[in-house]
Amino acid sequence: MEEKVQQPASKEELKRRAFMKQAAGLGVLGIAAAGGIWAAKGFKPEKGRLRPPGAVPEDQYLSMCIKCGQCLQVCPYDSIKLEDIDGKAGVGTAYIDPLARGCYLCEAFPCVLACPTGALNHEANVIDKVHMGMVIIVNESACIALENKKVTREMIGRIYDHTKVITNAERLARKVNIYDNDEEKVKLQKELLQKLSAEEGKICSLCADMCPYPAPEQAIGMVSKNGGLFPEIRDACVGCGACVEVCPTKVLQILPYATYAEVYEKNKGSKNA
């Protein structure tokens, strides 16, 4: 019987494999295919994952997200990740780690529009219908604004280091230029870095100044406290996590799905405590 000779993969096949690997988050995640959904048995959701904009309630989300990675593919800020096998928070499901990259509330929310199942509610494609969670202050004494400290290049550099679309030279220089031939995704992320760099040398108010909410002063602002400044979380906050990403000292954290009323209005006397 003649032995079949395996032909080398075509360019199209190699592209398909690369896409599947990326969508699979290093090759260990669940992948949705036309014939069904791979499920990781024995792993229970870990509480506290921040989901992309428009995510339905967690239990419902875990059953509806088919781990396809389409939201990840269209995210212009590289904010969305797919859960790997160590996270145990719905292996393969989409989430956001705001310490690595917050959500910047893109116009029209392409991640929502790309979701094929409604795990990201298709009606939540405008800011008024998006609510991801609520910012809380977990490390007040670490806030450098309280001591009127200025933003340094090192603080900004952390964000340059985890921005994927820029060159190593730009990363080292802590400076980017926007070119006419840059892709839209690249332009958006470079604009973010330029806005961040403009804060260097100023008294830190990064959390408020970098807030992507359309009217940021309605979501977060700096108020006087103990001779310095301190962030005040306001009721328009949608929990996007951008402030968590840019904070130099991890003062802030997101409670996924939480609301302003749940976090602050019940304890007005200890607000921001």
Side-chain angles (χ1 to χ4, degrees), residues 18-228:
F19 170 81
M20 293 298 285
K21 185 175 181 180
Q22 182 178 7
L26 305 180
V28 294
L29 304 182
I31 300 296
I37 302 170
W38 181 87
K41 296 181 179 179
F43 289 101
K44 294 183 179 180
E46 183 180 80
K47 293 181 179 179
R49 274 302 192 201
L50 180 63
R51 300 301 184 181
V56 297
E58 183 72 0
D59 289 346
Q60 189 180 357
Y61 178 84
L62 289 169
S63 66
M64 293 179 70
C65 175
I66 60 172
K67 309 150 179 85
C68 64
Q70 291 193 49
C71 55
L72 177 152
Q73 295 295 320
V74 300
C75 177
Y77 288 96
D78 295 317
S79 304
I80 301 174
K81 301 174 180 289
L82 296 182
E83 186 67 75
D84 67 21
I85 203 165
D86 295 325
K88 303 181 183 180
V91 176
T93 56
Y95 75 100
I96 291 173
D97 175 3
L99 287 173
R101 169 90 347 148
C103 168
Y104 284 87
L105 304 176
C106 314
E107 186 177 355
F109 296 98
C111 57
V112 173
L113 299 176
C115 179
T117 67
L120 305 181
N121 185 348
H122 289 184
E123 292 185 2
N125 62 350
V126 292
I127 191 65
D128 292 343
K129 295 183 179 180
V130 168
H131 186 83
M132 301 164 68
M134 184 55 51
V135 178
I136 60 171
I137 295 165
V138 294
N139 192 14
E140 177 174 339
S141 62
C143 181
I144 64 174
L146 276 174
E147 300 178 16
N148 295 309
K149 289 184 178 179
K150 297 180 179 179
V151 176
T152 66
R153 178 164 292 196
E154 289 73 23
M155 295 172 186
I156 291 170
R158 183 176 59 86
I159 315 301
Y160 273 86
D161 288 340
H162 67 228
T163 299
K164 300 175 183 178
V165 299
I166 61 174
T167 66
N168 285 332
E170 289 171 321
R171 214 168 274 117
L172 291 171
R174 307 306 194 212
K175 184 179 180 180
V176 294
N177 293 307
I178 299 175
Y179 303 103
D180 291 340
N181 61 347
D182 281 338
E183 295 180 6
E184 185 65 19
K185 173 177 179 174
V186 176
K187 287 180 180 178
L188 286 171
Q189 295 196 41
K190 284 184 175 181
E191 287 170 357
L192 176 66
L193 290 173
Q194 287 182 341
K195 183 177 179 181
L196 185 69
S197 289
E199 298 292 315
E200 184 179 344
K202 298 178 182 178
I203 301 296
C204 186
S205 55
L206 287 174
C207 56
D209 293 340
M210 298 299 293
C211 175
Y213 189 77
E217 69 282 356
Q218 295 177 14
I220 185 172
M222 304 300 290
V223 296
S224 298
K225 185 172 182 178
N226 299 333

